[in-house]
C-alpha cells in the first residue's frame, strides 16, 4: 500500500469518531498492564491466553483455541472464554463479575516497512447485576462487536531486534435489549506507541486515549492510559 493510500485509509476509518462535539463528564489517568501468549500445539492450531489489569478499573483473563489458515493474509479463527471483574464505583464496595464467551478473526498483511493487522471480535457479555451495592444472582446480557486496526512501521533495525512504531484504533459497539437504542457505540480506543521484537517476545509501550459512552445519556468518559504490553510466542509442537 502506498503512503497516500495509507493516509487516506486512516482518515476514512478514524475521522468520523472525532468529528462530533462530545460532552466529556470525567477524565482519568490509568496504567494498563497486559500479558498475551500464543502457544503453537500443531502446524494449524494454537492456544491463546491473555491477561489484563487496570488498577482501580478491571482485571480480565481470557483463553481460546485458534485455527490458523494457510492463506496469504495469515488468517486465524479463535473461540474461547473470558472472565472479568470490574472494580466498584466510588462510594461502593461490590465488584462486578462478567462471563464473556468470545470469538475472533484476524488478518495480517505487510510490505517492506509496514505491517497491517485487522481483528474482528464478538463477545457475549453476561454481567453481574448489582442493586444497592449488593450482587444479585442475576446477569445482564448484551452483545459486543469490536474491530481493531493496527499498523506498525519498521525502520532499519539490527539482526534479531526489530524496533517499530505503532498506531491503532479499536471501535467497540454494544447491542441488546439492555443497551440504549439497542445498538450504540461503547468505546473508541486510539493508541500510539513503540515496541521491540526480540526473539519470540514483543515489548510494547503506548498511550491509549479511551472514550467510553454512557449507556443512559450522550456523554462520554475519557481515560488516558499508559499501556504496557508483553507478547510471547511458544512452540509446544513435538520436534
Amino acid at each position: 500500500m502506498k503512503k497516500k493510500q495509507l493516509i487516506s485509509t486512516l482518515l476514512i476509518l478514524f475521522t468520523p469518531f472525532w468529528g462530533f462535539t462530545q460532552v466529556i463528564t470525567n477524565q482519568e489517568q490509568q496504567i494498563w498492564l497486559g500479558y498475551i501468549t500464543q502457544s503453537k500445539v500443531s502446524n494449524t492450531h494454537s492456544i491463546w491466553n491473555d491477561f489484563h489489569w487496570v488498577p482501580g478499573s478491571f482485571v480480565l483473563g481470557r483463553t481460546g483455541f485458534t485455527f490458523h489458515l494457510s492463506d496469504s493474509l495469515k488468517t486465524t479463527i479463535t473461540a474461547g472464554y473470558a472472565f472479568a471483574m470490574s472494580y466498584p464505583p466510588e462510594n461502593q464496595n461490590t465488584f462486578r463479575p462478567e462471563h464473556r464467551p468470545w470469538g475472533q478473526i484476524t488478518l495480517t498483511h505487510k510490505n517492506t516497512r509496514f505491517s497491517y493487522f485487522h481483528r474482528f471480535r464478538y463477545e457475549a457479555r453476561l454481567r453481574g447485576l448489582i442493586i444497592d451495592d449488593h450482587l444479585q444472582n442475576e446477569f445482564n446480557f448484551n452483545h459486543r462487536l469490536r474491530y481493531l486496526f493496527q499498523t506498525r512501521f519498521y525502520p532499519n533495525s539490527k539482526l534479531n531486534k526489530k524496533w517499530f512504531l505503532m498506531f491503532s484504533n479499536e471501535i467497540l459497539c454494544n447491542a441488546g435489549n439492555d443497551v440504549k437504542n439497542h445498538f450504540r457505540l461503547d468505546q473508541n480506543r486510539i493508541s500510539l506507541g513503540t515496541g521491540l521484537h526480540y526473539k519470540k517476545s514483543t515489548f510494547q509501550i503506548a498511550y491509549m486515549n479511551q472514550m467510553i459512552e454512557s449507556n443512559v445519556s450522550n456523554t462520554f468518559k475519557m481515560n488516558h492510559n499508559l499501556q504496557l504490553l508483553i507478547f510471547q510466542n511458544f512452540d509446544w509442537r513435538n520436534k
Side-chain angles (χ1 to χ4, degrees):
M1 183 181 291
K2 296 181 180 180
K3 187 177 295 185
K4 289 184 179 180
Q5 292 175 315
L6 173 62
I7 295 173
S8 299
T9 301
L10 296 179
L11 289 174
I12 292 171
L13 282 173
F14 307 126
T15 300
F17 296 95
W18 295 98
F20 303 101
T21 302
Q22 295 141 344
V23 179
I24 309 299
T25 59
N26 188 30
Q27 297 192 52
E28 294 186 8
Q29 297 179 354
Q30 299 182 147
I31 295 178
W32 184 311
L33 305 175
Y35 178 63
I36 301 98
T37 68
Q38 180 175 270
S39 304
K40 210 71 180 290
V41 295
S42 73
N43 292 336
T44 56
H45 295 87
S46 64
I47 297 173
W48 171 288
N49 287 295
D50 65 298
F51 177 82
H52 298 267
W53 180 40
V54 180
S57 183
F58 72 90
V59 60
L60 178 144
R62 181 166 31 222
T63 188
F65 192 69
T66 301
F67 177 68
H68 299 257
L69 279 67
S70 58
D71 61 343
S72 61
L73 292 176
K74 298 182 179 179
T75 305
T76 71
I77 302 173
T78 306
Y81 166 80
F83 179 77
M85 190 71 76
S86 299
Y87 282 70
E90 189 176 355
N91 301 321
Q92 296 189 27
N93 302 302
T94 304
F95 286 75
R96 185 191 303 275
E98 179 178 339
H99 302 279
R100 192 185 294 181
W102 66 282
Q104 69 179 27
I105 297 175
T106 70
L107 309 169
T108 305
H109 54 103
K110 61 183 179 180
N111 54 32
T112 306
R113 292 292 182 87
F114 286 90
S115 69
Y116 307 96
F117 177 78
H118 308 266
R119 186 182 71 199
F120 304 87
R121 178 177 288 175
Y122 166 77
E123 297 171 327
R125 306 182 67 191
L126 294 95
R127 306 173 70 227
L129 180 63
I130 297 175
I131 299 177
D132 296 330
D133 205 12
H134 289 86
L135 182 64
Q136 309 298 304
N137 192 26
E138 298 179 45
F139 292 87
N140 292 325
F141 175 76
N142 69 274
H143 310 275
R144 186 158 71 175
L145 306 174
R146 303 169 58 165
Y147 168 66
L148 170 70
F149 170 81
Q150 182 183 95
T151 182
R152 292 176 176 178
F153 170 68
Y154 293 86
N156 291 329
S157 57
K158 296 181 180 179
L159 185 65
N160 294 328
K161 294 183 180 180
K162 293 185 177 180
W163 172 68
F164 61 87
L165 299 173
M166 181 278 297
F167 172 81
S168 72
N169 187 45
E170 185 173 20
I171 303 161
L172 302 86
C173 295
N174 285 329
N177 293 330
D178 294 329
V179 175
K180 179 183 64 179
N181 298 325
H182 302 294
F183 186 88
R184 70 175 182 90
L185 174 68
D186 174 38
Q187 298 183 35
N188 190 38
R189 302 173 179 177
I190 293 181
S191 300
L192 182 65
T194 184
L196 177 71
H197 293 302
Y198 182 68
K199 295 183 178 179
K200 294 185 178 181
S201 299
T202 301
F203 306 90
Q204 182 174 297
I205 182 170
Y207 163 74
M208 176 199 285
N209 185 283
Q210 182 183 22
M211 295 280 289
I212 305 174
E213 184 179 0
S214 169
N215 193 35
V216 295
S217 64
N218 293 320
T219 61
F220 290 80
K221 174 184 177 182
M222 180 184 288
N223 292 329
H224 304 278
N225 298 291
L226 175 62
Q227 189 179 59
L228 306 172
L229 301 178
I230 298 176
F231 305 83
Q232 287 192 302
N233 292 305
F234 299 102
D235 192 342
W236 293 352
R237 291 173 292 184
N238 294 325
K239 301 299 182 182

